[in-house]
Amino acid sequence: MGGYNGSVEFKIQFTKLFINGEFVDSVSGKTFETRDPRNAEVIASVAEGDKVDVDLAVKAARNAFDNGAWPRMSGYERGRIMMKFADLIEEHAEELATIDTIDGGKLFSLCKAMDIPHCVHLLRYYAGAADKIHGETLKLSGEFQGYTLKEPIGVIGHIIPWNFPTAMFFLKVSPALAVGCTMIVKPAEQTPLSALYYAHLAKLAGIPDGVLNVVTGFGPTAGSAICSHMDVDKVSFTGSTEVGKIVMEAAAKSNLKHVSLELGGKSPLIIFDDADLDKAVNLAHNAVFFNKGEICAAGSRVFVQEGIFDAFVEKSVEMAKSRVIGDPFNPEVQQGPQIDKKQFDKVLKYIEYGKNEGATLLTGGKSYGDKGYFIEPTIFTDVNEHMKIAKDEIFGPVLCLMKFKTIEEAIEKANATRYGLAAGIITNDLNIANRVSRSVRAGTIWINCFFIFDPSCPFGGFKMSGFGKDQGLDAMHKYLHVPVDPDVDADYVEAI
């Protein structure tokens, strides 16, 4: 985009529902506004899908699965189309990064350098795996033999959040496409625009009509209709634990559809005395302030061993105060706005909880600027595990610093949470790293790093952070079921 001049001009092309290969208005004709979190201005009016529109999308997906070419293609053929899809995304990286920056307040530079390349990598990874789905041959007891197949489950409902609209879209869609499923995607109402653009590119790539449908709208209407639909075979949801429970209940009350959930987190980052102090401060800083704190795996509970605690606090506060907040199109900016007014107010409310419950505010704690939803990087100390800021997922730029003495104390405090999504350990002692990583209850544990994601590495949580994995071959297995065919030996048939 060249040098930043303080303004960005961009025309939004796609605002209608995408059903059965066509962009269509909602049956009701209703629309909703999506707003730019930099200034709260309306970006576009987007079609508001509800139950009737979900019914149409499910009907298209069911027909494409039961009668269409996609699940009947060879994995190699599906992979070729997915590769073309990835190529088209690369060709339109500038527009796609711009959409997620305008719609979600994400840093344009990171969208272009990280989010878009990651989704391309995901597509190509699963495209390469599409023709490597195999069952097993079984020697059964007696005169019987059998074999298993791995077949696509059917129609999938993907419900994705607003914090990483591109990455979440392809975490769900890529493995489901690879195995031959058809699907309906409901993007978050805060960030609906890039999903519609991806639907357009999917059609250009040659994905058949009805295989990939996008219904924009709200959770209690469109999302609920997907979860309770009798002709949806599985729901894959990423979002809050509270909504995850509703999703699971709706699945149980309807057709007992398969469910996978990637939910909230309150990840601990444990820093030992032997750590490189500057490296530890930098990792901790990025673990919570990256993407303005709007990330489920954020290392928002930082436990620092007492020998380096005071020095760590001093350097951490200094780094937070130097963080550049502003327009996410500006390449000098490190932190953009929170997603919307509701999230902005929630984060500020939790900051007040921290102060009222006795934590010490070291820096930040206020909104930034006179427009938009910007919040200063905020650090608390004198935090205990009973405070709201230590227990609840805030989903904003708020860091809780806590001191510990022993390894046992660090493990106990790290596990004192209802969540179990991720954790981090910083130490130069391999014995400490091994012991702690095997004792902390979390789905992903980073050692001397944080936020390392790769298409080949499964990601998912324990406890109230949900179940089921995204990424890796494990993600493909979520969208497969395994029928078994026992067979009798021919000689045995003749004998009887």
Side-chain angles (χ1 to χ4, degrees):
M1 296 183 67
Y4 180 70
N5 61 10
S7 65
V8 175
E9 294 184 6
F10 185 80
K11 182 179 180 181
I12 302 299
Q13 298 182 59
F14 307 108
T15 59
K16 297 183 178 183
L17 312 179
F18 188 79
I19 298 176
N20 205 26
E22 302 291 337
F23 284 103
V24 296
D25 291 319
S26 61
V27 172
S28 69
K30 291 181 180 179
T31 61
F32 65 96
E33 295 175 341
T34 183
R35 293 180 177 270
D36 185 337
R38 297 176 300 166
N39 49 34
E41 294 177 2
V42 175
I43 305 166
S45 293
V46 180
E48 183 183 335
D50 55 25
K51 184 180 184 303
V52 178
D53 304 290
V54 168
D55 287 342
L56 293 173
V58 173
K59 182 179 179 181
R62 174 56 61 192
N63 183 60
F65 185 79
D66 289 348
N67 305 306
W70 190 252
R72 291 160 186 83
M73 287 181 186
S74 68
Y76 172 77
E77 292 174 296
R78 287 197 299 271
R80 288 286 296 272
I81 293 172
M82 291 172 67
M83 289 289 191
K84 186 175 180 181
F85 191 7
D87 291 343
L88 288 169
I89 292 168
E90 280 189 325
E91 292 174 18
H92 294 82
E94 189 94 2
E95 301 101 298
L96 292 162
T98 300
I99 288 171
D100 279 351
T101 301
I102 293 173
D103 212 16
K106 298 174 66 66
L107 297 184
F108 175 78
S109 59
L110 289 184
C111 284
K112 195 172 178 183
M114 293 178 59
D115 290 20
I116 306 300
H118 182 64
C119 85
V120 170
H121 192 178
L122 280 166
L123 265 176
R124 290 176 176 156
Y125 174 85
Y126 288 109
D131 61 354
K132 300 170 183 67
I133 301 168
H134 308 296
E136 295 178 315
T137 301
L138 309 171
K139 180 66 178 80
L140 307 181
S141 58
E143 302 297 329
F144 295 90
Q145 63 181 6
Y147 62 87
T148 65
L149 300 173
K150 291 184 179 179
E151 297 183 339
I153 285 179
V155 176
I156 312 297
H158 298 297
I159 303 176
I160 61 176
W162 41 258
N163 57 329
F164 285 89
T166 285
M168 293 298 172
F169 186 97
F170 286 99
L171 281 171
K172 308 296 187 186
V173 166
S174 303
L177 285 175
V179 304
C181 289
T182 62
M183 61 208 70
I184 303 95
V185 180
K186 195 209 84 68
E189 60 269 23
Q190 295 90 342
T191 52
L193 298 177
S194 58
L196 296 170
Y197 203 115
Y198 290 123
H200 163 68
L201 295 181
K203 184 174 176 89
L204 293 182
I207 293 177
D209 293 348
V211 171
L212 175 59
N213 306 274
V214 177
V215 177
T216 51
F218 295 90
T221 49
S224 177
I226 290 171
C227 296
S228 60
H229 204 288
M230 295 297 291
D231 221 10
V232 171
D233 299 301
K234 175 182 172 64
V235 171
S236 178
F237 171 79
T238 295
S240 71
T241 298
E242 292 71 25
V243 176
K245 292 179 180 179
I246 297 171
V247 169
M248 200 166 178
E249 181 180 13
K253 287 184 175 180
S254 53
N255 59 345
L256 286 176
K257 58 177 64 66
H258 295 246
V259 176
S260 55
L261 304 171
E262 197 266 271
L263 306 175
K266 195 70 178 175
S267 300
L269 175 58
I270 307 170
I271 302 169
F272 289 88
D273 281 344
D274 67 334
D276 179 291
L277 184 60
D278 290 332
K279 177 181 177 181
V281 169
N282 188 60
L283 278 174
H285 187 85
N286 288 323
V288 69
F289 297 133
F290 175 71
N291 202 52
K292 12 58 177 247
E294 293 175 347
I295 181 166
C296 54
S300 54
R301 295 185 300 139
V302 176
F303 299 98
V304 183
Q305 201 161 18
E306 60 182 3
I308 61 170
F309 184 81
D310 291 341
F312 184 95
V313 168
E314 182 180 351
K315 284 180 174 286
S316 189
V317 169
E318 181 182 343
M319 181 172 282
K321 287 180 176 179
S322 69
R323 191 165 179 83
V324 181
I325 309 170
D327 190 325
F329 281 103
N330 186 337
E332 302 299 319
V333 164
Q334 298 171 296
Q335 182 176 311
Q338 309 309 128
I339 184 67
D340 62 9
K341 181 69 161 57
K342 180 179 178 182
Q343 186 63 23
F344 173 81
D345 288 341
K346 176 186 173 182
V347 175
L348 292 176
K349 179 179 71 174
Y350 269 93
I351 290 170
E352 289 304 309
Y353 286 152
K355 292 189 289 186
N356 292 337
E357 289 184 336
T360 301
L361 178 65
L362 298 179
T363 188
K366 305 186 298 296
S367 61
Y368 177 88
D370 56 3
K371 64 179 179 179
Y373 306 125
F374 300 88
I375 294 177
E376 295 176 346
T378 299
I379 298 177
F380 282 102
T381 190
D382 299 318
V383 179
N384 66 59
E385 61 269 27
H386 304 295
M387 294 179 178
K388 289 180 182 291
I389 57 171
K391 293 192 300 182
D392 297 345
E393 183 179 45
I394 300 173
F395 229 62
V398 180
L399 169 60
C400 295
L401 280 176
M402 290 166 275
K403 186 190 300 184
F404 72 93
K405 289 185 178 181
T406 65
I407 296 174
E408 293 77 14
E409 182 187 0
I411 293 169
E412 181 182 357
K413 288 185 174 182
N415 285 330
T417 174
R418 60 186 178 273
Y419 298 110
L421 188 56
I425 302 164
I426 304 178
T427 179
N428 289 317
D429 189 319
L430 183 60
N431 291 326
I432 291 176
N434 283 333
R435 179 180 175 186
V436 177
S437 65
R438 284 162 174 74
S439 302
V440 173
R441 290 279 295 164
T444 297
I445 299 178
W446 291 291
I447 299 175
N448 294 328
C449 59
F450 214 87
F451 293 147
I452 303 302
F453 296 100
D454 187 90
S456 64
C457 184
F459 179 80
F462 299 155
K463 299 192 287 187
M464 300 290 275
S465 292
F467 50 85
K469 300 293 186 182
D470 289 320
Q471 300 190 136
L473 297 180
D474 295 72
M476 291 178 65
H477 298 156
K478 292 193 307 186
Y479 303 107
L480 293 165
H481 70 124
V482 185
V484 181
D485 186 2
D487 200 358
V488 67
D489 184 91
D491 292 336
Y492 179 76
V493 172
E494 289 180 8
I496 60 174

